[in-house]
Amino acid sequence: MDALALLRLYGEWGADTALDDTPIDWLARPAPAAPPPTAPSPSRPSDAAPRHPATRTQPGAATTAPTTPEPRRAPPRPAAAGEDGVPLIDRAVQQATEAAAAAHTLAALHAAMAGFTACSLRDTATHTVATLGEAPGRLLLIGEPPDAAEDRSGIPFAGPMGDLLDRMLASIGLARADMLLAPVIPWRPPGERPPSATELRICTPFLHRLIVLAAPRKVIAMGNMPARLLTGDTTGIARLRGRWRDITIPGQAAPIALLPMRHPSQIGASPTARRDAWKDLLLLRTTLDHDKVTD
């Protein structure tokens, strides 16, 4: 493997930031530490230290076991705060809220996310994955955090998972042009690890503003993370899927109907996952046909 291919591989793994001027072999085992010296055991009873008379137990006296002092517990570490005393996490969430609220179009929202500096995910990602779609429509499909293919292209549902999504939609007569597509957060976490609770807090105002600007009639949450984040339910997608539910979004006047579904990456997990996905696609098609009749 040449050096360029190795660097690309490191980038795919999320190792794209050098911390030292010289490489460090973290797998090298350190030399074993020498065992501490032990006190020699007495060889004869006469070598032992004499017992002080005061330590003898008097007949009938109660004996008490020596008490071990309670270990000292360190006080909880407070959240890091700035000069004004506001925790840095709360400040980042406030900055994200203000940046999102200042955007009045989807293009402006994408520009606000691309220029946002209070989330470390932006610094490690290749692209800020934009919402795909020309204009607000009646369907908004929200997927999991960007994977490597989406991060490289800046397009949601790119690569093999996007091809599978296209086939899923085509099975009920839909296409990407019929909806808006977006990831639940705009940046790929390094190595595709799950985003932390702090990172989700910072990114949530952008997701809420996206829904307000898109003004969809229906929202499809594909995968565990978007379904949990938008419904507030901590159970898995296997329990959340299968029915519509109303969600309330800050800044939105009325509740919006949301359908949790399995992400395309979960379809190959088992026959049950594929059966669930097909049932949810049929439910989506039935709902859209009903809405068309009642319009």
Side-chain angles (χ1 to χ4, degrees):
M1 180 180 295
D2 57 18
L4 182 57
L6 183 59
L7 286 176
R8 289 175 179 169
L9 179 61
Y10 285 164
E12 291 293 331
W13 289 349
D16 53 6
T17 302
L19 301 180
D20 295 294
D21 295 333
T22 57
I24 300 175
D25 185 2
W26 296 105
L27 298 180
R29 295 185 177 180
T38 57
S41 58
S43 58
R44 298 188 307 272
S46 59
D47 293 337
R51 181 181 296 178
H52 195 277
T55 62
R56 295 176 180 174
T57 304
Q58 299 297 328
T63 60
T64 58
T67 59
T68 304
E70 287 288 334
R72 256 183 154 177
R73 296 184 178 180
R77 296 177 59 185
E83 296 179 356
D84 54 358
V86 178
L88 298 181
I89 297 174
D90 293 342
R91 179 181 296 174
V93 174
Q94 181 62 29
Q95 291 175 357
T97 303
E98 294 173 355
H104 299 286
T105 63
L106 293 177
L109 180 63
H110 180 257
M113 292 187 294
F116 188 70
T117 60
C119 183
S120 60
L121 292 180
R122 172 189 172 273
D123 300 329
T124 58
T126 303
H127 288 99
T128 299
V129 181
T131 303
L132 182 63
E134 295 297 331
R138 60 178 181 174
L139 275 179
L140 171 61
L141 196 155
I142 301 173
E144 295 279 13
D147 60 15
E150 294 168 308
D151 181 53
R152 284 193 299 266
S153 64
I155 299 174
F157 291 96
M161 290 301 103
D163 296 338
L164 180 54
L165 173 66
D166 291 338
R167 295 197 296 271
M168 292 170 61
L169 295 176
S171 68
I172 57 172
L174 294 177
R176 291 181 182 233
D178 300 322
M179 61 192 68
L180 293 175
L181 304 176
V184 66
I185 61 174
W187 303 290
R188 173 191 181 235
E192 294 185 24
R193 62 164 174 80
S196 66
T198 297
E199 292 163 346
L200 287 177
R201 278 191 61 198
I202 297 174
C203 294
T204 297
F206 294 117
L207 178 63
H208 288 167
R209 187 60 177 169
L210 165 65
I211 297 175
V212 172
L213 294 176
R217 294 187 182 181
K218 300 285 189 296
V219 175
I220 311 299
M222 275 195 162
N224 283 301
M225 194 163 298
R228 289 171 176 172
L229 193 62
L230 292 173
T231 63
D233 198 325
T234 58
T235 57
I237 193 65
R239 293 179 177 271
L240 290 173
R241 55 149 300 274
R243 66 183 179 89
W244 291 93
R245 61 189 68 204
D246 290 336
I247 60 171
T248 302
I249 301 298
Q252 191 79 13
I256 302 176
L258 177 139
L259 178 63
M261 294 179 58
R262 289 187 181 274
H263 191 269
S265 61
Q266 300 175 322
I267 301 304
S270 65
T272 300
R274 292 189 287 275
R275 183 173 61 249
D276 290 345
W278 177 238
K279 288 181 178 179
D280 292 338
L281 288 170
L282 293 178
L283 175 60
L284 174 60
R285 180 72 267 177
T286 301
T287 303
L288 294 179
D289 292 340
H290 179 268
D291 290 348
K292 187 182 299 184
V293 172
T294 56
D295 283 348

